[in-house]
Amino acid sequence: MTPADATCWTLIGAAAGGDAVARAEFARLYQPVARTYFAARWQVSPLRSALDDAVQDVFVECFKPNGVLGKANDSPGDGFRPFFHGVLRNVARRHEEKHRPGVALPEDQAADESSLGKEFDRAWAVSLLREAARVQAESAGDDGRKRRRVELLRLRFQEGLPIREIAARWNDDAAKLHHEYATARDEFRAALHRVLTFHMPTAPAADVDAAARGVLSSLG
């Protein structure tokens, strides 16, 4: 992640100005969202084969001289999220118009923006949660207990193991592990709050807290 005092706007400003490190970080953060959005938009379309080209076009649009990043405005609320959603939508529509004469696209492919907006929200949420997990792991450093709690969350959520099974695997007391699990979740929430603050640097704390709840609820 970017330094603790950075925000999405300082990253975007540096990337728009040509900073190679900022551009690599920008791509790391937002490329998975772009890929998921196009995959959802074209899941039943011949344009699915254009997914890689569309993702590449997004970052060409962002990084080219006088590109779209230079038009992004530092604003409160959702921060960069709605702006990036608009960039993805515009790139998708350009590909659809380009291929429409030779490719039979579903009539409602470009019009179903409501469901596509939900897919974008889900992709954004997954990206935030992935980043929060990374921040939590980095924050653990060499602390053995904290690193163990990171692994506890991985086993619980990525592998779907119940606490009792993890306790048996680790030859540990289940009640004690439940306590560690509660602490691990608190640490994860703190990491998610840090990630959201990065993306929403001008938002009040209450809005960041609401966004955190929305991220979790958007995953169902």
Side-chain angles (χ1 to χ4, degrees):
M1 183 141 171
T2 52
D5 60 347
T7 69
C8 66
W9 299 114
T10 57
L11 174 68
I12 288 164
D19 184 275
V21 174
R23 288 185 170 188
E25 179 70 3
F26 181 89
R28 185 187 69 78
L29 287 171
Y30 299 116
Q31 192 258 16
V33 179
R35 181 168 293 278
T36 300
Y37 174 83
F38 292 129
R41 188 177 184 107
W42 297 330
Q43 59 182 326
V44 294
S45 165
L47 275 174
R48 189 172 179 84
S49 62
L51 191 151
D52 289 339
D53 289 341
V55 171
Q56 182 177 357
D57 285 350
V58 168
F59 293 99
V60 169
E61 289 297 313
C62 287
F63 297 152
K64 70 183 182 181
N66 300 315
V68 295
L69 284 191
K71 301 179 178 67
N73 294 315
D74 188 340
S75 60
D78 286 341
F80 184 61
R81 174 182 163 278
F83 183 87
F84 191 61
H85 186 193
V87 172
L88 299 184
R89 188 168 57 241
N90 289 341
V91 169
R93 287 173 175 170
R94 191 165 69 231
H95 274 268
E96 288 160 3
E97 290 303 316
K98 176 182 176 182
H99 289 84
R100 191 171 296 278
V103 177
L105 297 174
E107 288 298 322
D108 63 348
Q109 183 67 59
D112 190 11
E113 297 294 349
S114 177
S115 63
L116 289 170
K118 292 178 182 178
E119 288 294 339
F120 174 84
D121 289 343
R122 182 177 177 84
W124 189 269
V126 169
S127 178
L128 293 173
L129 292 174
R130 186 183 299 116
E131 187 67 9
R134 193 173 77 88
V135 168
Q136 183 185 14
E138 286 185 353
S139 298
D142 295 329
D143 188 315
R145 291 189 64 182
K146 288 184 178 181
R147 292 178 67 86
R148 191 168 185 262
R149 287 195 290 267
V150 170
E151 176 64 8
L152 175 60
L153 288 184
R154 189 191 70 79
L155 291 173
R156 179 68 187 90
F157 289 105
Q158 292 188 23
E159 297 193 17
L161 299 179
I163 297 296
R164 65 179 181 278
E165 186 170 335
I166 300 172
R169 177 180 293 191
W170 288 358
N171 193 27
D172 205 344
D173 179 69
K176 175 185 173 183
L177 211 56
H178 271 287
H179 178 74
E180 287 290 285
Y181 175 61
T183 302
R185 291 183 63 175
D186 287 342
E187 291 169 344
F188 180 82
R189 279 192 290 268
L192 178 59
H193 194 280
R194 180 182 169 190
V195 170
L196 284 165
T197 299
F198 168 84
H199 286 283
M200 304 167 59
T202 61
D207 288 355
V208 176
D209 291 339
R213 291 192 295 272
V215 166
L216 297 172
S217 66
S218 71
L219 299 178

PDB file of all heavy atoms in Angstrom, residues 82-119:
ATOM      1  N   PRO A  82     -16.667   6.503  -7.960  1.00  0.00           N
ATOM      2  CA  PRO A  82     -17.617   6.770  -9.051  1.00  0.00           C
ATOM      3  C   PRO A  82     -16.936   7.235 -10.330  1.00  0.00           C
ATOM      4  O   PRO A  82     -17.414   6.940 -11.425  1.00  0.00           O
ATOM      5  CB  PRO A  82     -18.544   7.851  -8.470  1.00  0.00           C
ATOM      6  CG  PRO A  82     -17.765   8.467  -7.372  1.00  0.00           C
ATOM      7  CD  PRO A  82     -16.897   7.380  -6.806  1.00  0.00           C
ATOM      8  N   PHE A  83     -15.819   7.954 -10.192  1.00  0.00           N
ATOM      9  CA  PHE A  83     -15.084   8.406 -11.368  1.00  0.00           C
ATOM     10  C   PHE A  83     -14.538   7.215 -12.137  1.00  0.00           C
ATOM     11  O   PHE A  83     -14.667   7.137 -13.365  1.00  0.00           O
ATOM     12  CB  PHE A  83     -13.942   9.338 -10.949  1.00  0.00           C
ATOM     13  CG  PHE A  83     -13.174   9.914 -12.110  1.00  0.00           C
ATOM     14  CD1 PHE A  83     -13.602  11.077 -12.727  1.00  0.00           C
ATOM     15  CD2 PHE A  83     -12.038   9.286 -12.580  1.00  0.00           C
ATOM     16  CE1 PHE A  83     -12.905  11.612 -13.812  1.00  0.00           C
ATOM     17  CE2 PHE A  83     -11.330   9.807 -13.651  1.00  0.00           C
ATOM     18  CZ  PHE A  83     -11.769  10.974 -14.278  1.00  0.00           C
ATOM     19  N   PHE A  84     -13.922   6.256 -11.439  1.00  0.00           N
ATOM     20  CA  PHE A  84     -13.344   5.093 -12.103  1.00  0.00           C
ATOM     21  C   PHE A  84     -14.437   4.245 -12.738  1.00  0.00           C
ATOM     22  O   PHE A  84     -14.243   3.691 -13.824  1.00  0.00           O
ATOM     23  CB  PHE A  84     -12.537   4.281 -11.097  1.00  0.00           C
ATOM     24  CG  PHE A  84     -11.679   3.214 -11.725  1.00  0.00           C
ATOM     25  CD1 PHE A  84     -10.679   3.544 -12.628  1.00  0.00           C
ATOM     26  CD2 PHE A  84     -11.848   1.875 -11.397  1.00  0.00           C
ATOM     27  CE1 PHE A  84      -9.883   2.572 -13.215  1.00  0.00           C
ATOM     28  CE2 PHE A  84     -11.063   0.888 -11.967  1.00  0.00           C
ATOM     29  CZ  PHE A  84     -10.078   1.242 -12.885  1.00  0.00           C
ATOM     30  N   HIS A  85     -15.588   4.153 -12.069  1.00  0.00           N
ATOM     31  CA  HIS A  85     -16.717   3.427 -12.648  1.00  0.00           C
ATOM     32  C   HIS A  85     -17.094   4.047 -13.993  1.00  0.00           C
ATOM     33  O   HIS A  85     -17.349   3.336 -14.975  1.00  0.00           O
ATOM     34  CB  HIS A  85     -17.910   3.463 -11.691  1.00  0.00           C
ATOM     35  CG  HIS A  85     -19.070   2.639 -12.134  1.00  0.00           C
ATOM     36  ND1 HIS A  85     -20.312   2.750 -11.563  1.00  0.00           N
ATOM     37  CD2 HIS A  85     -19.203   1.700 -13.120  1.00  0.00           C
ATOM     38  CE1 HIS A  85     -21.147   1.921 -12.155  1.00  0.00           C
ATOM     39  NE2 HIS A  85     -20.502   1.269 -13.102  1.00  0.00           N
ATOM     40  N   GLY A  86     -17.104   5.371 -14.061  1.00  0.00           N
ATOM     41  CA  GLY A  86     -17.427   6.041 -15.315  1.00  0.00           C
ATOM     42  C   GLY A  86     -16.403   5.765 -16.399  1.00  0.00           C
ATOM     43  O   GLY A  86     -16.764   5.599 -17.573  1.00  0.00           O
ATOM     44  N   VAL A  87     -15.132   5.700 -16.028  1.00  0.00           N
ATOM     45  CA  VAL A  87     -14.084   5.388 -17.006  1.00  0.00           C
ATOM     46  C   VAL A  87     -14.312   3.991 -17.581  1.00  0.00           C
ATOM     47  O   VAL A  87     -14.244   3.788 -18.813  1.00  0.00           O
ATOM     48  CB  VAL A  87     -12.692   5.477 -16.356  1.00  0.00           C
ATOM     49  CG1 VAL A  87     -11.616   4.972 -17.319  1.00  0.00           C
ATOM     50  CG2 VAL A  87     -12.383   6.918 -15.938  1.00  0.00           C
ATOM     51  N   LEU A  88     -14.589   3.021 -16.734  1.00  0.00           N
ATOM     52  CA  LEU A  88     -14.826   1.648 -17.203  1.00  0.00           C
ATOM     53  C   LEU A  88     -16.038   1.588 -18.116  1.00  0.00           C
ATOM     54  O   LEU A  88     -16.013   0.917 -19.162  1.00  0.00           O
ATOM     55  CB  LEU A  88     -15.035   0.712 -16.008  1.00  0.00           C
ATOM     56  CG  LEU A  88     -13.880   0.571 -15.015  1.00  0.00           C
ATOM     57  CD1 LEU A  88     -14.231  -0.473 -13.952  1.00  0.00           C
ATOM     58  CD2 LEU A  88     -12.584   0.197 -15.712  1.00  0.00           C
ATOM     59  N   ARG A  89     -17.094   2.278 -17.735  1.00  0.00           N
ATOM     60  CA  ARG A  89     -18.311   2.271 -18.547  1.00  0.00           C
ATOM     61  C   ARG A  89     -18.047   2.868 -19.925  1.00  0.00           C
ATOM     62  O   ARG A  89     -18.507   2.338 -20.944  1.00  0.00           O
ATOM     63  CB  ARG A  89     -19.403   3.042 -17.807  1.00  0.00           C
ATOM     64  CG  ARG A  89     -20.782   2.945 -18.455  1.00  0.00           C
ATOM     65  CD  ARG A  89     -21.861   3.483 -17.520  1.00  0.00           C
ATOM     66  NE  ARG A  89     -21.570   4.860 -17.127  1.00  0.00           N
ATOM     67  CZ  ARG A  89     -21.369   5.260 -15.872  1.00  0.00           C
ATOM     68  NH1 ARG A  89     -21.410   4.383 -14.884  1.00  0.00           N
ATOM     69  NH2 ARG A  89     -21.128   6.529 -15.602  1.00  0.00           N
ATOM     70  N   ASN A  90     -17.310   3.953 -19.988  1.00  0.00           N
ATOM     71  CA  ASN A  90     -17.032   4.592 -21.273  1.00  0.00           C
ATOM     72  C   ASN A  90     -16.158   3.713 -22.172  1.00  0.00           C
ATOM     73  O   ASN A  90     -16.386   3.619 -23.386  1.00  0.00           O
ATOM     74  CB  ASN A  90     -16.349   5.941 -21.045  1.00  0.00           C
ATOM     75  CG  ASN A  90     -17.294   6.976 -20.456  1.00  0.00           C
ATOM     76  OD1 ASN A  90     -18.519   6.825 -20.541  1.00  0.00           O
ATOM     77  ND2 ASN A  90     -16.734   8.010 -19.841  1.00  0.00           N
ATOM     78  N   VAL A  91     -15.154   3.066 -21.597  1.00  0.00           N
ATOM     79  CA  VAL A  91     -14.307   2.166 -22.382  1.00  0.00           C
ATOM     80  C   VAL A  91     -15.137   0.996 -22.909  1.00  0.00           C
ATOM     81  O   VAL A  91     -15.002   0.592 -24.074  1.00  0.00           O
ATOM     82  CB  VAL A  91     -13.115   1.668 -21.546  1.00  0.00           C
ATOM     83  CG1 VAL A  91     -12.384   0.525 -22.257  1.00  0.00           C
ATOM     84  CG2 VAL A  91     -12.140   2.805 -21.262  1.00  0.00           C
ATOM     85  N   ALA A  92     -16.016   0.453 -22.053  1.00  0.00           N
ATOM     86  CA  ALA A  92     -16.856  -0.665 -22.489  1.00  0.00           C
ATOM     87  C   ALA A  92     -17.759  -0.261 -23.650  1.00  0.00           C
ATOM     88  O   ALA A  92     -17.889  -0.995 -24.638  1.00  0.00           O
ATOM     89  CB  ALA A  92     -17.690  -1.156 -21.304  1.00  0.00           C
ATOM     90  N   ARG A  93     -18.385   0.890 -23.529  1.00  0.00           N
ATOM     91  CA  ARG A  93     -19.293   1.341 -24.595  1.00  0.00           C
ATOM     92  C   ARG A  93     -18.540   1.575 -25.903  1.00  0.00           C
ATOM     93  O   ARG A  93     -19.077   1.292 -26.986  1.00  0.00           O
ATOM     94  CB  ARG A  93     -19.993   2.625 -24.151  1.00  0.00           C
ATOM     95  CG  ARG A  93     -21.059   2.396 -23.080  1.00  0.00           C
ATOM     96  CD  ARG A  93     -21.592   3.699 -22.548  1.00  0.00           C
ATOM     97  NE  ARG A  93     -22.696   3.478 -21.602  1.00  0.00           N
ATOM     98  CZ  ARG A  93     -23.222   4.440 -20.849  1.00  0.00           C
ATOM     99  NH1 ARG A  93     -22.747   5.673 -20.929  1.00  0.00           N
ATOM    100  NH2 ARG A  93     -24.208   4.155 -20.012  1.00  0.00           N
ATOM    101  N   ARG A  94     -17.316   2.070 -25.813  1.00  0.00           N
ATOM    102  CA  ARG A  94     -16.521   2.284 -27.017  1.00  0.00           C
ATOM    103  C   ARG A  94     -16.236   0.961 -27.720  1.00  0.00           C
ATOM    104  O   ARG A  94     -16.329   0.864 -28.951  1.00  0.00           O
ATOM    105  CB  ARG A  94     -15.218   3.006 -26.662  1.00  0.00           C
ATOM    106  CG  ARG A  94     -14.473   3.500 -27.893  1.00  0.00           C
ATOM    107  CD  ARG A  94     -13.417   4.512 -27.506  1.00  0.00           C
ATOM    108  NE  ARG A  94     -12.330   3.905 -26.766  1.00  0.00           N
ATOM    109  CZ  ARG A  94     -11.872   4.367 -25.604  1.00  0.00           C
ATOM    110  NH1 ARG A  94     -12.433   5.420 -25.031  1.00  0.00           N
ATOM    111  NH2 ARG A  94     -10.859   3.784 -24.996  1.00  0.00           N
ATOM    112  N   HIS A  95     -15.899  -0.073 -26.939  1.00  0.00           N
ATOM    113  CA  HIS A  95     -15.658  -1.395 -27.527  1.00  0.00           C
ATOM    114  C   HIS A  95     -16.943  -1.946 -28.132  1.00  0.00           C
ATOM    115  O   HIS A  95     -16.913  -2.564 -29.211  1.00  0.00           O
ATOM    116  CB  HIS A  95     -15.118  -2.355 -26.466  1.00  0.00           C
ATOM    117  CG  HIS A  95     -13.632  -2.292 -26.311  1.00  0.00           C
ATOM    118  ND1 HIS A  95     -12.767  -3.113 -26.999  1.00  0.00           N
ATOM    119  CD2 HIS A  95     -12.844  -1.491 -25.549  1.00  0.00           C
ATOM    120  CE1 HIS A  95     -11.513  -2.830 -26.670  1.00  0.00           C
ATOM    121  NE2 HIS A  95     -11.536  -1.841 -25.791  1.00  0.00           N
ATOM    122  N   GLU A  96     -18.068  -1.731 -27.475  1.00  0.00           N
ATOM    123  CA  GLU A  96     -19.339  -2.255 -27.986  1.00  0.00           C
ATOM    124  C   GLU A  96     -19.726  -1.582 -29.296  1.00  0.00           C
ATOM    125  O   GLU A  96     -20.191  -2.248 -30.236  1.00  0.00           O
ATOM    126  CB  GLU A  96     -20.415  -2.061 -26.915  1.00  0.00           C
ATOM    127  CG  GLU A  96     -20.244  -3.014 -25.723  1.00  0.00           C
ATOM    128  CD  GLU A  96     -20.942  -2.570 -24.466  1.00  0.00           C
ATOM    129  OE1 GLU A  96     -21.635  -1.532 -24.494  1.00  0.00           O
ATOM    130  OE2 GLU A  96     -20.794  -3.258 -23.442  1.00  0.00           O
ATOM    131  N   GLU A  97     -19.530  -0.279 -29.376  1.00  0.00           N
ATOM    132  CA  GLU A  97     -19.849   0.429 -30.614  1.00  0.00           C
ATOM    133  C   GLU A  97     -18.905   0.028 -31.742  1.00  0.00           C
ATOM    134  O   GLU A  97     -19.308  -0.104 -32.896  1.00  0.00           O
ATOM    135  CB  GLU A  97     -19.785   1.943 -30.382  1.00  0.00           C
ATOM    136  CG  GLU A  97     -20.911   2.472 -29.517  1.00  0.00           C
ATOM    137  CD  GLU A  97     -22.275   2.138 -30.086  1.00  0.00           C
ATOM    138  OE1 GLU A  97     -22.463   2.288 -31.317  1.00  0.00           O
ATOM    139  OE2 GLU A  97     -23.162   1.717 -29.314  1.00  0.00           O
ATOM    140  N   LYS A  98     -17.641  -0.191 -31.403  1.00  0.00           N
ATOM    141  CA  LYS A  98     -16.651  -0.573 -32.401  1.00  0.00           C
ATOM    142  C   LYS A  98     -16.974  -1.936 -33.002  1.00  0.00           C
ATOM    143  O   LYS A  98     -16.814  -2.160 -34.212  1.00  0.00           O
ATOM    144  CB  LYS A  98     -15.267  -0.595 -31.759  1.00  0.00           C
ATOM    145  CG  LYS A  98     -14.146  -1.083 -32.679  1.00  0.00           C
ATOM    146  CD  LYS A  98     -12.824  -1.126 -31.936  1.00  0.00           C
ATOM    147  CE  LYS A  98     -11.716  -1.691 -32.808  1.00  0.00           C
ATOM    148  NZ  LYS A  98     -10.415  -1.775 -32.069  1.00  0.00           N
ATOM    149  N   HIS A  99     -17.448  -2.880 -32.170  1.00  0.00           N
ATOM    150  CA  HIS A  99     -17.670  -4.243 -32.639  1.00  0.00           C
ATOM    151  C   HIS A  99     -19.106  -4.497 -33.091  1.00  0.00           C
ATOM    152  O   HIS A  99     -19.384  -5.533 -33.699  1.00  0.00           O
ATOM    153  CB  HIS A  99     -17.318  -5.245 -31.535  1.00  0.00           C
ATOM    154  CG  HIS A  99     -15.845  -5.350 -31.271  1.00  0.00           C
ATOM    155  ND1 HIS A  99     -15.177  -4.476 -30.445  1.00  0.00           N
ATOM    156  CD2 HIS A  99     -14.911  -6.211 -31.748  1.00  0.00           C
ATOM    157  CE1 HIS A  99     -13.894  -4.804 -30.401  1.00  0.00           C
ATOM    158  NE2 HIS A  99     -13.706  -5.838 -31.184  1.00  0.00           N
ATOM    159  N   ARG A 100     -20.013  -3.584 -32.810  1.00  0.00           N
ATOM    160  CA  ARG A 100     -21.426  -3.847 -33.092  1.00  0.00           C
ATOM    161  C   ARG A 100     -21.703  -4.174 -34.562  1.00  0.00           C
ATOM    162  O   ARG A 100     -22.518  -5.060 -34.849  1.00  0.00           O
ATOM    163  CB  ARG A 100     -22.283  -2.666 -32.639  1.00  0.00           C
ATOM    164  CG  ARG A 100     -23.775  -2.967 -32.659  1.00  0.00           C
ATOM    165  CD  ARG A 100     -24.556  -1.847 -31.997  1.00  0.00           C
ATOM    166  NE  ARG A 100     -24.230  -1.732 -30.586  1.00  0.00           N
ATOM    167  CZ  ARG A 100     -24.770  -2.484 -29.632  1.00  0.00           C
ATOM    168  NH1 ARG A 100     -25.637  -3.420 -29.961  1.00  0.00           N
ATOM    169  NH2 ARG A 100     -24.440  -2.317 -28.379  1.00  0.00           N
ATOM    170  N   PRO A 101     -21.059  -3.517 -35.533  1.00  0.00           N
ATOM    171  CA  PRO A 101     -21.367  -3.868 -36.933  1.00  0.00           C
ATOM    172  C   PRO A 101     -21.055  -5.319 -37.290  1.00  0.00           C
ATOM    173  O   PRO A 101     -21.706  -5.901 -38.144  1.00  0.00           O
ATOM    174  CB  PRO A 101     -20.476  -2.907 -37.737  1.00  0.00           C
ATOM    175  CG  PRO A 101     -20.257  -1.753 -36.827  1.00  0.00           C
ATOM    176  CD  PRO A 101     -20.144  -2.371 -35.461  1.00  0.00           C
ATOM    177  N   GLY A 102     -20.080  -5.924 -36.609  1.00  0.00           N
ATOM    178  CA  GLY A 102     -19.696  -7.279 -36.987  1.00  0.00           C
ATOM    179  C   GLY A 102     -19.997  -8.331 -35.951  1.00  0.00           C
ATOM    180  O   GLY A 102     -19.798  -9.510 -36.197  1.00  0.00           O
ATOM    181  N   VAL A 103     -20.482  -7.895 -34.766  1.00  0.00           N
ATOM    182  CA  VAL A 103     -20.751  -8.843 -33.683  1.00  0.00           C
ATOM    183  C   VAL A 103     -22.169  -8.641 -33.188  1.00  0.00           C
ATOM    184  O   VAL A 103     -22.571  -7.522 -32.867  1.00  0.00           O
ATOM    185  CB  VAL A 103     -19.758  -8.640 -32.512  1.00  0.00           C
ATOM    186  CG1 VAL A 103     -20.106  -9.586 -31.362  1.00  0.00           C
ATOM    187  CG2 VAL A 103     -18.333  -8.875 -32.979  1.00  0.00           C
ATOM    188  N   ALA A 104     -22.922  -9.734 -33.157  1.00  0.00           N
ATOM    189  CA  ALA A 104     -24.300  -9.657 -32.679  1.00  0.00           C
ATOM    190  C   ALA A 104     -24.303  -9.588 -31.157  1.00  0.00           C
ATOM    191  O   ALA A 104     -24.176 -10.601 -30.468  1.00  0.00           O
ATOM    192  CB  ALA A 104     -25.094 -10.879 -33.155  1.00  0.00           C
ATOM    193  N   LEU A 105     -24.442  -8.388 -30.637  1.00  0.00           N
ATOM    194  CA  LEU A 105     -24.469  -8.205 -29.194  1.00  0.00           C
ATOM    195  C   LEU A 105     -25.903  -8.301 -28.681  1.00  0.00           C
ATOM    196  O   LEU A 105     -26.838  -7.911 -29.377  1.00  0.00           O
ATOM    197  CB  LEU A 105     -23.895  -6.836 -28.818  1.00  0.00           C
ATOM    198  CG  LEU A 105     -22.429  -6.593 -29.174  1.00  0.00           C
ATOM    199  CD1 LEU A 105     -22.063  -5.144 -28.861  1.00  0.00           C
ATOM    200  CD2 LEU A 105     -21.534  -7.529 -28.384  1.00  0.00           C
ATOM    201  N   PRO A 106     -26.101  -8.801 -27.460  1.00  0.00           N
ATOM    202  CA  PRO A 106     -27.454  -8.771 -26.887  1.00  0.00           C
ATOM    203  C   PRO A 106     -27.983  -7.348 -26.867  1.00  0.00           C
ATOM    204  O   PRO A 106     -27.247  -6.400 -26.598  1.00  0.00           O
ATOM    205  CB  PRO A 106     -27.222  -9.293 -25.457  1.00  0.00           C
ATOM    206  CG  PRO A 106     -25.961 -10.085 -25.541  1.00  0.00           C
ATOM    207  CD  PRO A 106     -25.109  -9.396 -26.571  1.00  0.00           C
ATOM    208  N   GLU A 107     -29.270  -7.192 -27.171  1.00  0.00           N
ATOM    209  CA  GLU A 107     -29.841  -5.854 -27.296  1.00  0.00           C
ATOM    210  C   GLU A 107     -29.687  -5.030 -26.026  1.00  0.00           C
ATOM    211  O   GLU A 107     -29.555  -3.819 -26.060  1.00  0.00           O
ATOM    212  CB  GLU A 107     -31.331  -5.962 -27.664  1.00  0.00           C
ATOM    213  CG  GLU A 107     -31.563  -6.416 -29.080  1.00  0.00           C
ATOM    214  CD  GLU A 107     -30.991  -5.438 -30.099  1.00  0.00           C
ATOM    215  OE1 GLU A 107     -31.070  -4.223 -29.875  1.00  0.00           O
ATOM    216  OE2 GLU A 107     -30.455  -5.908 -31.125  1.00  0.00           O
ATOM    217  N   ASP A 108     -29.753  -5.696 -24.866  1.00  0.00           N
ATOM    218  CA  ASP A 108     -29.695  -4.962 -23.608  1.00  0.00           C
ATOM    219  C   ASP A 108     -28.293  -4.949 -23.012  1.00  0.00           C
ATOM    220  O   ASP A 108     -28.100  -4.552 -21.874  1.00  0.00           O
ATOM    221  CB  ASP A 108     -30.678  -5.549 -22.587  1.00  0.00           C
ATOM    222  CG  ASP A 108     -30.328  -6.997 -22.223  1.00  0.00           C
ATOM    223  OD1 ASP A 108     -29.493  -7.593 -22.930  1.00  0.00           O
ATOM    224  OD2 ASP A 108     -30.898  -7.515 -21.255  1.00  0.00           O
ATOM    225  N   GLN A 109     -27.297  -5.368 -23.776  1.00  0.00           N
ATOM    226  CA  GLN A 109     -25.949  -5.513 -23.217  1.00  0.00           C
ATOM    227  C   GLN A 109     -25.428  -4.203 -22.638  1.00  0.00           C
ATOM    228  O   GLN A 109     -24.900  -4.171 -21.550  1.00  0.00           O
ATOM    229  CB  GLN A 109     -24.989  -6.010 -24.285  1.00  0.00           C
ATOM    230  CG  GLN A 109     -23.569  -6.263 -23.784  1.00  0.00           C
ATOM    231  CD  GLN A 109     -23.502  -7.414 -22.821  1.00  0.00           C
ATOM    232  OE1 GLN A 109     -23.871  -8.529 -23.168  1.00  0.00           O
ATOM    233  NE2 GLN A 109     -23.079  -7.159 -21.600  1.00  0.00           N
ATOM    234  N   ALA A 110     -25.577  -3.116 -23.401  1.00  0.00           N
ATOM    235  CA  ALA A 110     -25.028  -1.841 -22.939  1.00  0.00           C
ATOM    236  C   ALA A 110     -25.999  -1.072 -22.059  1.00  0.00           C
ATOM    237  O   ALA A 110     -25.632  -0.071 -21.477  1.00  0.00           O
ATOM    238  CB  ALA A 110     -24.643  -0.984 -24.136  1.00  0.00           C
ATOM    239  N   ALA A 111     -27.257  -1.531 -21.978  1.00  0.00           N
ATOM    240  CA  ALA A 111     -28.266  -0.749 -21.277  1.00  0.00           C
ATOM    241  C   ALA A 111     -28.483  -1.185 -19.838  1.00  0.00           C
ATOM    242  O   ALA A 111     -29.033  -0.437 -19.041  1.00  0.00           O
ATOM    243  CB  ALA A 111     -29.596  -0.833 -22.034  1.00  0.00           C
ATOM    244  N   ASP A 112     -28.085  -2.391 -19.494  1.00  0.00           N
ATOM    245  CA  ASP A 112     -28.380  -2.913 -18.160  1.00  0.00           C
ATOM    246  C   ASP A 112     -27.379  -2.377 -17.151  1.00  0.00           C
ATOM    247  O   ASP A 112     -26.632  -3.132 -16.527  1.00  0.00           O
ATOM    248  CB  ASP A 112     -28.360  -4.446 -18.193  1.00  0.00           C
ATOM    249  CG  ASP A 112     -28.896  -5.047 -16.896  1.00  0.00           C
ATOM    250  OD1 ASP A 112     -29.464  -4.282 -16.083  1.00  0.00           O
ATOM    251  OD2 ASP A 112     -28.742  -6.256 -16.705  1.00  0.00           O
ATOM    252  N   GLU A 113     -27.352  -1.053 -16.972  1.00  0.00           N
ATOM    253  CA  GLU A 113     -26.360  -0.433 -16.115  1.00  0.00           C
ATOM    254  C   GLU A 113     -26.635  -0.675 -14.637  1.00  0.00           C
ATOM    255  O   GLU A 113     -25.715  -0.615 -13.816  1.00  0.00           O
ATOM    256  CB  GLU A 113     -26.287   1.069 -16.391  1.00  0.00           C
ATOM    257  CG  GLU A 113     -25.846   1.429 -17.795  1.00  0.00           C
ATOM    258  CD  GLU A 113     -24.407   1.018 -18.091  1.00  0.00           C
ATOM    259  OE1 GLU A 113     -23.692   0.646 -17.153  1.00  0.00           O
ATOM    260  OE2 GLU A 113     -24.009   1.071 -19.274  1.00  0.00           O
ATOM    261  N   SER A 114     -27.887  -0.959 -14.285  1.00  0.00           N
ATOM    262  CA  SER A 114     -28.201  -1.184 -12.879  1.00  0.00           C
ATOM    263  C   SER A 114     -27.503  -2.439 -12.342  1.00  0.00           C
ATOM    264  O   SER A 114     -26.816  -2.398 -11.323  1.00  0.00           O
ATOM    265  CB  SER A 114     -29.719  -1.317 -12.691  1.00  0.00           C
ATOM    266  OG  SER A 114     -30.026  -1.609 -11.336  1.00  0.00           O
ATOM    267  N   SER A 115     -27.664  -3.561 -13.050  1.00  0.00           N
ATOM    268  CA  SER A 115     -27.020  -4.791 -12.613  1.00  0.00           C
ATOM    269  C   SER A 115     -25.511  -4.699 -12.753  1.00  0.00           C
ATOM    270  O   SER A 115     -24.763  -5.228 -11.923  1.00  0.00           O
ATOM    271  CB  SER A 115     -27.559  -5.993 -13.399  1.00  0.00           C
ATOM    272  OG  SER A 115     -27.262  -5.863 -14.772  1.00  0.00           O
ATOM    273  N   LEU A 116     -25.044  -3.989 -13.795  1.00  0.00           N
ATOM    274  CA  LEU A 116     -23.606  -3.823 -13.962  1.00  0.00           C
ATOM    275  C   LEU A 116     -23.025  -2.952 -12.862  1.00  0.00           C
ATOM    276  O   LEU A 116     -21.889  -3.161 -12.425  1.00  0.00           O
ATOM    277  CB  LEU A 116     -23.306  -3.217 -15.333  1.00  0.00           C
ATOM    278  CG  LEU A 116     -23.537  -4.153 -16.519  1.00  0.00           C
ATOM    279  CD1 LEU A 116     -23.439  -3.381 -17.824  1.00  0.00           C
ATOM    280  CD2 LEU A 116     -22.538  -5.301 -16.501  1.00  0.00           C
ATOM    281  N   GLY A 117     -23.800  -1.979 -12.406  1.00  0.00           N
ATOM    282  CA  GLY A 117     -23.354  -1.167 -11.282  1.00  0.00           C
ATOM    283  C   GLY A 117     -23.168  -2.002 -10.036  1.00  0.00           C
ATOM    284  O   GLY A 117     -22.222  -1.794  -9.261  1.00  0.00           O
ATOM    285  N   LYS A 118     -24.050  -2.974  -9.846  1.00  0.00           N
ATOM    286  CA  LYS A 118     -23.914  -3.866  -8.694  1.00  0.00           C
ATOM    287  C   LYS A 118     -22.671  -4.740  -8.825  1.00  0.00           C
ATOM    288  O   LYS A 118     -21.978  -5.016  -7.835  1.00  0.00           O
ATOM    289  CB  LYS A 118     -25.165  -4.737  -8.560  1.00  0.00           C
ATOM    290  CG  LYS A 118     -26.408  -3.954  -8.166  1.00  0.00           C
ATOM    291  CD  LYS A 118     -27.646  -4.841  -8.099  1.00  0.00           C
ATOM    292  CE  LYS A 118     -28.889  -4.031  -7.753  1.00  0.00           C
ATOM    293  NZ  LYS A 118     -30.107  -4.879  -7.732  1.00  0.00           N
ATOM    294  N   GLU A 119     -22.371  -5.175 -10.040  1.00  0.00           N
ATOM    295  CA  GLU A 119     -21.160  -5.972 -10.256  1.00  0.00           C
ATOM    296  C   GLU A 119     -19.911  -5.135  -9.972  1.00  0.00           C
ATOM    297  O   GLU A 119     -18.947  -5.621  -9.400  1.00  0.00           O
ATOM    298  CB  GLU A 119     -21.126  -6.508 -11.692  1.00  0.00           C
ATOM    299  CG  GLU A 119     -22.130  -7.608 -11.981  1.00  0.00           C
ATOM    300  CD  GLU A 119     -21.845  -8.883 -11.210  1.00  0.00           C
ATOM    301  OE1 GLU A 119     -20.705  -9.076 -10.762  1.00  0.00           O
ATOM    302  OE2 GLU A 119     -22.775  -9.690 -11.056  1.00  0.00           O
TER     303      GLU A 119
END
